[in-house]
Amino acid sequence: MKAKKIFCIFLLINSFLFLSGCQSSVLNPKGYVSMEQSSLILTSFLMMLLIVIPVIFMTLFFVWKYRITNLHEQYSPNWDQSHRIEILIWTIPILIIIFLAFLSWKSTHRLEPSKPLYSLVKPITIDVVALDWKWLFIYPEYNIATINEVSFPIKTPINFRITSNSVMNSFFIPALGSQIYAMAGMTTKLHLLANEPGNYKGFSANYSGRGFSDMKFSVIASSNKELFDRWVKNVKKSPHTLNTMKMFHYISKSNNKFFIQYFSHADNNLLNKIVKQFKK
């Protein structure tokens, strides 16, 4: 039994060592919205510790103090009421709940996904379409489109207009902020802004069928507008175009393999046409 106990402790220590290399994009924010959300999570966590830590401490303290071998403590089986303790254990949680409720209410309105982000820089609009099992990105202002890759410069507000050509899905870039649902026949909005350049990951955060786990896409946050313009020029070199609904239906066929494709010319009204096809 002793050897088994030592082995279990060894496994527990090793699990902490192996997991120490794991990183959470949500707690390593690279955008304005994600920074606000991360701050909200950490603040809520610290406030909850004001309850959890004293409870754990008191539990251990009471177990030790009133153990069966401690014969020096007074035994009071008929004691059942203390107004001071009642006030203490009810007042503190109530105050914490009020604070968290106010914090959540304020943050919910400030970080509303459809609310545009204030900036002196002109925003870029990107239309997003959830397909089976890939993501289509359309740049109406540049008349280009991509599959499974999206790019934009940092410090620039990005206005995502999102829909689905099939079942309901969820669009999520953890390093930059909120996830938002994509639904056929509807358009949802999401506003994000990257603070740091880098290559981030995006994916589907909602189970939507056998290929949803492969619905990953690359996010390129360029350090300046010149690098983004260079990326746009590279996309425009592609021999593929996306000008008609016939071509759209062709690329929307089910495919659960991750790949990136560029379209040098795309219909800038394609999102509205995709939405309208479900309203007939």
Side-chain angles (χ1 to χ4, degrees):
M1 286 293 293
K2 187 175 181 180
K4 184 178 180 181
K5 186 176 181 180
I6 294 174
F7 179 71
C8 291
I9 294 174
F10 175 76
L11 287 179
L12 181 62
I13 293 174
N14 273 286
S15 66
F16 282 109
L17 292 175
F18 284 121
L19 290 172
S20 64
C22 298
Q23 294 183 350
S24 171
S25 296
V26 175
L27 298 179
N28 186 27
K30 302 297 182 181
Y32 167 75
V33 175
S34 56
M35 288 181 65
E36 292 289 330
Q37 292 175 336
S38 179
S39 176
L40 177 62
I41 292 172
L42 291 175
T43 302
S44 301
F45 177 74
L46 292 175
M47 291 301 297
M48 294 305 298
L49 286 181
L50 293 179
I51 297 177
V52 174
I53 291 178
V55 168
I56 293 175
F57 172 77
M58 287 188 295
T59 301
L60 297 175
F61 175 73
F62 291 155
V63 168
W64 172 255
K65 184 175 181 179
Y66 297 107
R67 66 193 185 279
I68 195 171
T69 58
N70 188 0
L71 304 178
H72 303 291
E73 292 297 330
Q74 182 180 359
Y75 177 57
S76 305
N78 297 321
W79 182 87
D80 63 355
Q81 185 67 32
S82 172
H83 293 296
R84 285 183 296 179
I85 293 177
E86 289 287 339
I87 292 173
L88 182 66
I89 64 176
W90 281 105
T91 302
I92 295 177
I94 288 174
L95 291 176
I96 291 176
I97 290 172
I98 292 174
F99 173 78
L100 291 176
F102 173 76
L103 187 66
S104 299
W105 179 85
K106 186 177 179 180
S107 299
T108 299
H109 286 79
R110 187 174 73 254
L111 300 176
E112 164 62 36
S114 63
K115 184 179 179 180
L117 301 176
Y118 173 77
S119 176
L120 297 177
V121 181
K122 181 183 177 181
I124 294 176
T125 298
I126 302 177
D127 295 338
V128 183
V129 184
L131 305 176
D132 298 336
W133 308 95
K134 48 188 173 283
W135 293 95
L136 172 66
F137 299 97
I138 307 165
Y139 290 72
E141 299 165 10
Y142 297 90
N143 297 109
I144 60 173
T146 64
I147 289 179
N148 288 344
E149 184 177 279
V150 61
S151 178
F152 41 79
I154 63 171
K155 308 296 184 181
T156 302
I158 308 300
N159 302 339
F160 289 105
R161 301 187 301 182
I162 305 166
T163 191
S164 173
N165 190 55
S166 181
V167 297
M168 185 172 73
N169 222 300
S170 183
F171 178 79
F172 192 25
I173 307 175
L176 299 184
S178 309
Q179 65 169 322
I180 195 77
Y181 285 105
M183 293 169 280
M186 297 179 62
T187 302
T188 50
K189 295 180 180 180
L190 176 65
H191 296 83
L192 299 177
L193 185 148
N195 288 333
E196 299 179 23
N199 295 327
Y200 308 123
K201 294 180 180 179
F203 57 87
S204 165
N206 182 70
Y207 180 77
S208 55
R210 60 182 176 84
F212 94 100
S213 58
D214 294 312
M215 290 186 67
K216 302 178 178 69
F217 59 92
S218 300
V219 182
I220 303 173
S222 304
S223 57
N224 54 60
K225 185 68 163 53
E226 288 72 24
L227 288 176
F228 171 70
D229 291 337
R230 193 181 305 169
W231 178 84
V232 172
K233 290 180 180 179
N234 187 42
V235 174
K236 287 183 176 292
K237 294 178 183 179
S238 171
H240 306 289
T241 60
L242 190 58
N243 295 323
T244 64
M245 287 298 291
K246 182 178 180 180
M247 184 60 186
F248 168 75
H249 290 306
Y250 175 77
I251 67 166
S252 64
K253 293 180 180 178
S254 297
N255 187 324
N256 60 351
K257 293 182 180 179
F258 178 85
F259 67 95
I260 295 174
Q261 186 173 357
Y262 296 155
F263 300 92
S264 58
H265 194 278
D267 182 357
N268 58 14
N269 196 39
L270 188 58
L271 181 79
N272 293 329
K273 293 180 180 179
I274 296 170
V275 172
K276 288 180 180 179
Q277 68 180 348
F278 293 96
K279 296 182 177 181
K280 294 180 181 180

